[in-house]
Amino acid sequence: MRSYFWFVGKRALQLLAVVFFGVSATFLVTHLSPISPVETALGRMTARSNFDPEAIVAMREALTEMYGVNEPILMQYINFWARLVRGDLGPSLLAFPTPAMTLVMRAMPWTVGLLVTSTLITFAIGNLFGGLAGYMQNNRFFKAFGIIAMGIQPIPYYIVAFILLIIFGFLWPVLPISGGFAMNVTPGWSFEFIGSVLLHSILPALSLVLVGFGGWFLGMRALVSNIVTEDYVTYAELGAVRRDTIVLGYVMRNALVPQLTALAMALGGVFSGTVITEQVFNYPGLGSLLIDAVNAGDYSLVLAVSTVSITSVAVAIFIVDLLYPILDPRVRAE
């Protein structure tokens, strides 16, 4: 147990290092960008009305002071970390004076609810069916399932998304194709709102599951196909051990360890996949928020989205990493 706590401590230090360098890189990229948040905000404010030149100068000075872009880059970096520790990244230009972190927290549940849940469901179903297919290699049902998985798996996500959108949105319009909930529904903890959210999430979730399922199925089937030839599996079968114990306890448990690495990588790609998902289905979340922030030059909001994304991915990988010694005693927690 002591060695496991030491293992957790080392992984926690690695987690902090990943978050620190990732957020620092994002800060440098956004602050070295040629897009000026001050000029972008001024352009948006002066586009619809005529302002006195002196008023524009005063607004430019006020925005420059507020965002601190008149200070050296090193001082901006120190101030950024001081604000980040307090959970304050300043106001957003898109929804001034709403804090950028407030907008991120509003969008976060949509991204986590859709993409993380879809990834975990796909992981569970794909590995279960893949493990059974690898163990029962002569089963016709699983052979047909493997052919379907191999056919769907190489198709790009956005192609599957557009196919589902055309089928269920136009040819057979039984599902909503845009937004996170119906416009005539008031957000809140009501059955009407929750039902509308679930209904609007079917198409984007289904597209993610269909594309991701094939990879998990094929990977698990290949791993189990090699494990079933091991001596300890043959010995368990000859010893009349129950089949479900052999499949779940001996075969799939050992094959699951490499799949956890793939799960960590998949969770790492969740936030990068939000952009495509939310753009295709006009789904609210961090992806749509990030696109709007980049287009507006709102690097306070870009930094807020990126910081939350980097931290969430690093924590998810950290949790998966801690499961290795528990699932597989062969992995030494040192």
Side-chain angles (χ1 to χ4, degrees):
M1 182 61 68
R2 185 177 180 182
S3 62
Y4 183 73
F5 284 122
W6 178 246
F7 171 79
V8 173
K10 290 194 298 183
R11 292 298 184 270
L13 291 177
Q14 293 177 1
L15 167 67
L16 295 176
V18 168
V19 172
F20 175 77
F21 287 110
V23 173
S24 297
T26 305
F27 173 87
L28 292 176
V29 169
T30 53
H31 282 69
L32 295 178
S33 169
I35 301 176
S36 171
V38 174
E39 297 302 326
T40 302
L42 281 175
R44 189 165 53 249
M45 287 187 289
T46 58
R48 299 179 181 178
S49 2
N50 294 324
F51 284 87
D52 185 78
E54 295 182 359
I56 295 177
V57 172
M59 284 191 294
R60 179 179 287 109
E61 292 177 353
L63 289 171
T64 301
E65 181 70 21
M66 182 181 66
Y67 281 94
V69 293
N70 56 337
E71 298 178 344
I73 187 70
L74 179 59
M75 185 58 63
Q76 294 183 46
Y77 179 70
I78 295 173
N79 293 335
F80 162 74
W81 276 105
R83 294 196 309 270
L84 181 60
V85 171
R86 302 193 303 267
D88 176 23
L89 288 176
S92 167
L93 289 175
L94 284 174
F96 186 86
T98 305
M101 288 301 294
T102 299
L103 296 177
V104 171
M105 291 299 104
R106 290 176 185 173
M108 187 76 168
W110 296 98
T111 296
V112 173
L114 174 66
L115 294 171
V116 174
T117 303
S118 299
T119 300
L120 294 178
I121 291 175
T122 307
F123 173 82
I125 297 176
N127 280 295
L128 177 61
F129 279 80
L132 294 175
Y135 187 78
M136 296 180 286
Q137 299 179 13
N138 296 322
N139 187 286
R140 294 183 179 180
F141 172 77
F142 288 117
K143 283 184 177 181
F145 222 85
I147 295 174
I148 296 174
M150 286 189 289
I152 296 178
Q153 196 266 339
I155 301 176
Y157 161 75
Y158 55 87
I159 299 296
V160 176
F162 279 121
I163 291 174
L164 292 177
L165 191 147
I166 292 172
I167 293 175
F168 295 103
F170 297 97
L171 298 180
W172 187 31
V174 293
L175 293 173
I177 62 174
S178 178
F181 57 92
M183 296 182 64
N184 60 344
V185 176
T186 302
W189 293 105
S190 63
F191 288 108
E192 184 182 15
F193 176 72
I194 295 174
S196 180
V197 169
L198 293 176
L199 188 64
H200 280 72
S201 66
I202 290 177
L203 279 183
L206 182 60
S207 60
L208 289 169
V209 170
L210 287 176
V211 174
F213 173 83
W216 296 118
F217 177 89
L218 297 174
M220 191 65 168
R221 188 180 66 174
L223 290 169
V224 170
S225 297
N226 293 326
I227 292 176
V228 293
T229 60
E230 296 289 340
D231 293 338
Y232 65 87
V233 177
T234 304
Y235 182 79
E237 292 175 341
L238 294 175
V241 178
R242 292 177 54 183
R243 173 168 287 192
D244 57 346
T245 302
I246 296 175
V247 175
L248 298 177
Y250 297 166
V251 177
M252 294 184 62
R253 181 179 177 181
N254 290 336
L256 196 61
V257 175
Q259 291 293 80
L260 281 177
T261 303
L263 176 62
M265 296 175 64
L267 291 174
V270 160
F271 289 97
S272 62
T274 59
V275 176
I276 298 177
T277 305
E278 296 171 6
Q279 289 298 303
V280 171
F281 295 101
N282 193 27
Y283 201 79
L286 293 178
S288 298
L289 193 64
L290 180 62
I291 292 295
D292 293 339
V294 171
N295 291 334
D298 186 355
Y299 61 57
S300 292
L301 190 52
V302 171
L303 277 171
V305 174
S306 301
T307 300
V308 170
S309 301
I310 291 170
T311 304
S312 302
V313 170
V315 170
I317 295 175
F318 171 72
I319 293 173
V320 171
D321 203 18
L322 296 185
L323 294 176
Y324 273 94
I326 298 175
L327 290 175
D328 190 355
R330 296 171 299 179
V331 178
R332 302 181 64 185
E334 295 181 356

